[in-house]
Amino acid sequence: MAIPLEAQAETQYVVPLRFKRAAFTYAGFETPELDTRGYEMGTRPSGWGSSDARGPMLGIMNGQEVRVKIERERLDEAAPVFVTSTNPAIVEITEPENGGPLPASGIFKCKALAGEGDHPVIQARLGSAEGPVLAELEPHTFSRLRIAITPHNVRIDGAGGNGTRASLTRLADILRRVRKIWRPCGIDFTINATINDNITLGSNITDTFDNASTWAGDIRQILGLQRTRLSLPAGTNDQSINMYMIDTFSNPGFVGYGISRDTADSIGSDTGIVINCAGVNGNEVQEERTARTVAHEIGHFLRLKHVEEKNAADAVEYTYGLWQLMYPKSWVPADARIKEFGNGTRARGHLITLKNHQHHSTDGECDTARRSIRDGNWT
Ligand SMILES: [Zn+2]
Ligand SMILES: [Zn+2]
């Protein structure tokens, strides 16, 4: 079949093939997001060396096998495509055998075997494994870094008597989704045993956290539960992300707080996440939203800022901004553009950027997050 090509300028780029995420659904261990923001490779952390590749970037945790899709843009459906790696000792093409020809789905598998930020180039070739290169993808391999999450089921007592103990009925599944979102960065979470806490807040309302007048006091009290429990001396911090599940917030529709080190220092509290359970349990859309909220707040703990440092009131409006985990709002606008990134429910996307485009002050999120863990300064 002929592919029509209209000459538009003296110099014209033709894109025969495109690398894409294998499945545009919720995050999956084997279907990582790709950083497809442009063909420029951006500024690179020192350990990443140089590259003359042009294409998207892909992060893979060492030992992990992932699926990636090649979409035909300007190439006959019948033309055989093969996939090769310039260094199979670091990233190996595991399916199809011998790299091709690709099946009609366009999906191939590759596996990270070694290295830390190392980058062979994955190349899509025409006709054979030695054929001309039609498209490139730069994978980065990461060793696994782990941090702990400590869930707390909080019972808020108050003027109405003892409260009911809050809990997320699908907590294990929600935290698994969080692990899937962070997997392309090689960042993983161990889940500590859930702790039961009872507390009477300054607002003194049974089952309720007061978002209004006593906000600062209530948040300090809840976030201090782990410090009190462990009798942590001043100047030391718990070495886990404490996730406090409460029944409800007084502000209807409010879903949670994530207090990272910067904010904690400014309000004189400990760090942690506070999540409502009423309205989440039994509601698939809210459960997915909760997983993305927790993953987003973890981003803040690991020193990530909102996309281009724009908060909810003036959030960026371009597609890739909505696609990112660090988009400042839980929900993105109803807009045809977002159908592609696996959130028909309109929860924010979950791309964590690998590329570092210099004009984007918050880019290179994967490297920033990994360095925060390495430097031990995220608690
Ligand atoms: Zn945020
Ligand atoms: Zn840009």
Side-chain angles (χ1 to χ4, degrees):
M1 189 194 83
I3 303 284
L5 182 65
E6 200 179 317
Q8 287 160 334
E10 255 179 65
T11 308
Q12 187 172 343
Y13 291 106
V14 176
V15 178
L17 302 174
R18 229 178 254 288
F19 287 91
K20 295 183 86 171
R21 190 174 168 221
F24 286 90
T25 60
Y26 295 170
F29 288 126
E30 280 138 36
T31 54
E33 277 288 10
L34 272 55
D35 189 340
T36 56
R37 300 172 308 140
Y39 285 80
E40 296 288 337
M41 304 314 271
T43 311
R44 307 163 76 84
S46 55
W48 288 17
S50 62
S51 170
D52 60 3
R54 278 175 64 81
M57 283 188 188
L58 163 70
I60 322 176
M61 191 174 79
N62 281 331
Q64 176 101 45
E65 184 179 57
V66 299
R67 291 186 284 138
V68 179
K69 180 175 173 144
I70 291 180
E71 191 169 78
R72 288 167 195 250
E73 191 98 0
R74 296 271 182 190
L75 187 71
D76 193 295
E77 293 297 331
V81 173
F82 285 69
V83 187
T84 59
S85 165
T86 57
N87 190 345
I90 292 179
V91 176
E92 179 187 26
I93 308 301
T94 49
E95 225 182 274
E97 211 180 340
N98 304 318
L102 278 185
S105 66
I107 289 177
F108 68 93
K109 285 187 185 174
C110 59
K111 186 171 183 181
L113 299 175
E116 177 57 44
D118 285 343
H119 58 90
V121 182
I122 292 177
Q123 295 172 319
R125 293 167 179 268
L126 180 62
S128 77
E130 289 79 41
V133 175
L134 297 180
E136 293 182 324
L137 168 69
E138 187 180 283
H140 291 268
T141 56
F142 298 112
S143 57
R144 187 196 300 249
L145 295 177
R146 281 193 183 94
I147 52 182
I149 295 175
T150 307
H152 297 249
N153 287 340
V154 181
R155 189 187 89 190
I156 302 178
D157 301 336
N162 287 353
T164 27
R165 183 168 312 291
S167 67
L168 288 172
T169 47
R170 297 183 67 202
L171 177 68
D173 179 65
I174 288 171
L175 293 177
R176 197 172 153 78
R177 298 184 198 201
V178 173
R179 293 177 59 221
K180 288 173 178 175
I181 290 173
W182 279 94
R183 180 56 54 97
C185 297
I187 293 174
D188 201 5
F189 306 96
T190 52
I191 314 299
N192 289 336
T194 299
I195 292 160
N196 287 340
D197 286 313
N198 301 339
I199 194 164
T200 302
L201 298 171
S203 52
N204 200 29
I205 313 168
T206 299
D207 287 331
T208 302
F209 177 112
D210 188 355
N211 294 94
S213 54
T214 61
W215 178 85
D218 280 9
I219 195 103
R220 272 195 291 269
Q221 273 187 276
I222 289 194
L223 296 177
L225 281 166
Q226 181 79 339
R227 176 171 299 279
T228 306
R229 194 175 71 86
L230 300 177
S231 307
L232 291 175
T236 63
N237 295 312
D238 184 39
Q239 296 299 303
S240 75
I241 293 175
N242 287 285
M243 177 178 164
Y244 298 96
M245 284 152 291
I246 66 159
D247 188 61
T248 193
F249 294 96
S250 61
N251 182 354
F254 192 86
V255 294
Y257 289 106
I259 305 296
S260 59
R261 176 46 55 198
D262 282 355
T263 314
D265 287 347
S266 74
I267 64 173
S269 75
D270 282 294
T271 60
I273 297 170
V274 185
I275 296 283
N276 72 310
C277 297
V280 175
N281 287 326
N283 182 326
E284 164 59 28
V285 172
Q286 288 292 344
E287 287 174 337
E288 176 64 14
R289 196 270 313 145
T290 300
R292 295 192 197 196
T293 302
V294 172
H296 172 103
E297 300 309 342
I298 289 171
H300 284 310
F301 295 142
L302 303 180
R303 307 203 154 194
L304 303 188
K305 295 175 177 171
H306 290 147
V307 181
E308 299 206 61
E309 300 181 62
K310 305 271 194 204
N311 293 328
D314 64 341
V316 298
E317 291 177 354
Y318 55 85
T319 309
Y320 274 114
L322 308 181
W323 200 312
Q324 289 181 233
L325 180 65
M326 297 316 291
Y327 181 71
K329 296 191 269 193
S330 296
W331 307 102
V332 297
D335 185 319
R337 290 176 301 160
I338 62 154
K339 282 190 186 132
E340 278 240 311
F341 50 91
N343 49 6
T345 56
R346 292 181 42 227
R348 75 178 112 220
H350 48 82
L351 170 68
I352 301 166
T353 58
L354 284 150
K355 291 190 176 189
N356 188 350
H357 291 305
Q358 237 167 356
H359 62 289
H360 286 194
S361 60
T362 54
D363 255 10
E365 293 167 327
C366 172
D367 183 59
T368 302
R370 288 183 64 84
R371 275 190 289 110
S372 299
I373 298 174
R374 284 249 161 78
D375 299 347
N377 57 15
W378 55 274
T379 56

